[in-house]
Amino acid sequence: MVAAILLNTRSKILYSFLRSLHSGLILLPNAFFKIFLITLLGLIFESADPLFAADIIIQNDKIEYAIDDQGKNLRFIDKASKTDYLDKKSASYIASIKKDGREFPVSAVSLRGNLLKLEFKTAGLTADLLLDIEKDRFRLEVVNVSGSVESLTFINIPLKLEGMPYEPFAACVLSMNPQTHVFALPALQSHMKATAYERFGMKGAKVTVLGVPQKEMLPLIREVMINATDIPHSNAGGAWAQQSKEGFGSYLMNFGTLTEDTVDEWIKMCKSLGFTQIDNHGGGKFFRFGDFELDPEKWPDGWDNFKRINKRLHDAGISSIFHTYAFFIDKNSKYVTPVPREDLGYFNSFTIAKAIGEADTEVEVQESTADISLITGFFVRNSRTIRVGTELIEFDGISKNAPYKFTGLKRGANGTKASAHTVNEKAYHLREMFGRFAPGVETPLFSEIAKRTAEIVEQANFDGIYFDAIDGSDILAGPENFWYYGGKFVFEVAKNLKRPVGMEMSSMIHHWWHYRSRWQAWDRPTRGYKRFIDIHSSSIKSDEYEHGLWRGNVAQINKIAPAENGGLLLPLQLGWWAHQTWNPPQVEPTFSDDIEYLGSKMIGNNAGLAMLGGFDEKALNENPAFRRLNAIIKQYEELRHQNYFSDSIKQQLRVPGKDFSLFQSADGAWKFKPMSYQKHKVSGLDHPSAIWKVKNEFAAQPLQLRIEPLMSVKSYDDPENMVLSDFSGISEFKQDSTAKGISGGLKPALEKTLAGESAISFTAQSTGASARDASWINMQKQFESILDLKNNKALGVWVKGDGNGQLLNLRIESPHHISHGARGDHYIKIDFVGWKYFELVEIESSEFSNYVWPAPYSSASFYVYDSYRHEVAFDKVDKLQIWYNNLPAGKQVETLIGLVKALPIVSNTIVNPSIMIGTEKIIFPVSMESGMYLEFKSETDCKLYGPKGEFIKEVQVQGKVPALRTGENQISFGAEPNSGVKPRVQLTIITEGKPLLN
């Protein structure tokens, strides 16, 4: 196949004119001039460098890609359907360069033989690309770049494709060597773009461009990559992943208790959940990260112990995964102590200005220390450690002005030897993240860790590798080089393996896809489980590559979650998971319907699961609920592996927000029935919330429910309350951020609350430039000193609404390096007019994704985890925020807010709770404390459980079981009066539909 040069529009007009002249259709009076033009015509169209430039078409049997003589993209056509998939919303160009920080698009393109010549006239530079075309692909390789540039983007094709498997056509650009940066992940892409960088070498950067029917993409990638000489080959991931059972498995996580003495227990635990894999997560007293030394007390023969362990696991049909922190180095490893390696990575070096003795507690340096931060934390890219010679020194202070010093020194840190140091010695500020050091790039230590990783996999016969913490690859050389050095580390491991094994990573780049066997484990949620599962199953099918960062809202969840897979076409993973028990106000207990929801999505997506814990005998005995929940997981997992249900059933199971329950019919067949679990909170027996309405979408049926007494709060006037803001100084609140088109602010209100206290007016308006569910504004108060609210975890506040439907959110936060960005959200929907008093206890989660919020403040935060996983440190609260979202366009809203108080939460007891529907009333003759729960399924199935799911007793109900009619039902909750605080109760009304037809 060859590329073609086709005349552009102006050339075609001239060509038509000259052809007419040549044929005599146009008569010119001057014969000489006629002869001149005819001669010129021949010169133009026989020249290898035409005087009149032409469109360039690169085509093969599958696609036609056209650019004009200025490099502008014209079309990208699927020949089979004749569909042009080029995104033409704005002009785009095949290439650009970056020089001195400025981007220059290509200005001229020509094709000479198989060389695509690019000119960047504004920058005075040129580049040559070697073009090679085959029947179903074409390749571009950089062979020359004139002058010095920072980067060259040499393929750039934005597409109208979504990059999803439900589309008939697919496109993909593949990087063919480590130096070529392709931005999008394989296999289905919506924007094909590749860049070469001066730092890593431009000459030789190479890509393969594919455009084929979607079903042909994976086989074609396999064909391309098996012949890719510069990418270490693996047939255990990427385009081969769906052909291996490993990617579809589920695993238990071992944090150091799997020894030769406990292998049989672990095999039993795997079987108790139907799992076939164990992930061996290092750290602590298991094995050290970096040098991978095992605890000699448990594994005296080192990795040979694990070779024998893995042999026994394999004999039982269980595979074993080596779980590391990639290149990160524990501070007690041999690379750190007693003599630190010189090739430990560092941010900056400093020159000692004055000699110091081995006991000195400060060191003066020549360079400025003003920009050094003292904030460290698990996700923070920073350390308070310097290396001077063979000594590590920790510091707790720095000088902002000359003379510049590191102060508060702890000498001989991490078991190194304190020493004297002379003038002009270098002090290296070490790179640290996750509480661990990192190697320098392009160093023997970097390669040594990668090689040792591969050696252990071979020695102990592991079946896979989990590169955890590799999402911190930016620590190596900055975020702009994440892709290169993160990729290089995995390449180093892969080329040292004697046999390919499946791999997982805690992040993703283009090159890792070829090794990745499944996609994508997330950290566990602690609340809002069902919504979290929907977010997880949507994100892993979206174009978000980092775990926990997807910012999709309800509309995006509803669109993406039902898809069979995403553009990576890898087996899917819905772990990590851990059951939870009663631990208010930030952790919600896990119930059986949460696990059935998880199991349904596992079957619907054919996705595996990973369990962090809760499966060993000690945990099962301490938390009886876990044994019941694990039994549910096992049944779902076994049916998933049997591929028991039809594609039609799986499609229904994938629908977000839809609950199902698995049951076995009289003939032994397993079936699903649709379920509904409608939660409602009652804030007191005489509170309006004690009467509410429930819609039954199914046929009329007897009542089923769950009753959970929640934590209550002390009164608004209790002396133990703490005032977070009385708004006496309105300037203490600063506008922190707003969405586009949103304005607003706080001002003193003329009206007082019903408690007779002062209030503020929070006004805002939206121009409509932001969608209603993304129309946010935030006012923030930073406390002068950190507050200790560990005994005051609830909020009490008077609010006057205007009925305009905006969302008011009172959020408390802790410093990011402590709570990782956890949001202590408390939502109030302003769908009412007048004053109301609110007791806000449980941290919001499930409602969070009904709206779009701003991206996290820093890399120490995770958009999803901050609402569903991370927890506010109540003893270290540093800010109060007042938010609006869901603002109506074109009108001003106003909410009056009284004093915001932090209230103590207390346990309460409800006695003989009852439910009335119409004239039918049922009474549950029990006394229930906060943390207990009652599950009522029928007159003969009513059980009371304790906070850890321990069975307390069967309950004999009194009265007639009320019926829920189809449609709307009014429900009333009651209980016997009890002295003390107002009871708060969560009720879940349960309804079920007819079984699905398999």
Side-chain angles (χ1 to χ4, degrees), residues 30 62 85 103 200 217 310 344-345 364 367 385 447 484 487 512 577 579 629 725 856 979:
N30 190 322
K62 303 293 184 180
Y85 284 105
E103 196 84 19
F200 307 119
M217 183 56 79
N310 287 341
L344 288 171
E364 184 177 335
E367 297 81 5
T385 304
S447 299
Y484 181 80
W512 292 341
W577 190 265
H579 307 314
L629 300 179
S725 180
S979 60

Side-chain angles (χ1 to χ4, degrees), residues 703 705 911-924 936 939 957-963 971-976:
L703 172 71
L705 57 69
V911 179
N912 298 337
S914 64
I915 291 287
M916 177 177 285
I917 303 176
T919 60
E920 297 172 335
K921 182 177 182 180
I922 186 171
I923 300 173
F924 304 94
F936 171 71
E939 287 183 283
V957 300
Q958 297 174 358
K960 184 177 181 181
V961 178
I971 300 180
S972 301
F973 173 79
E976 293 182 7

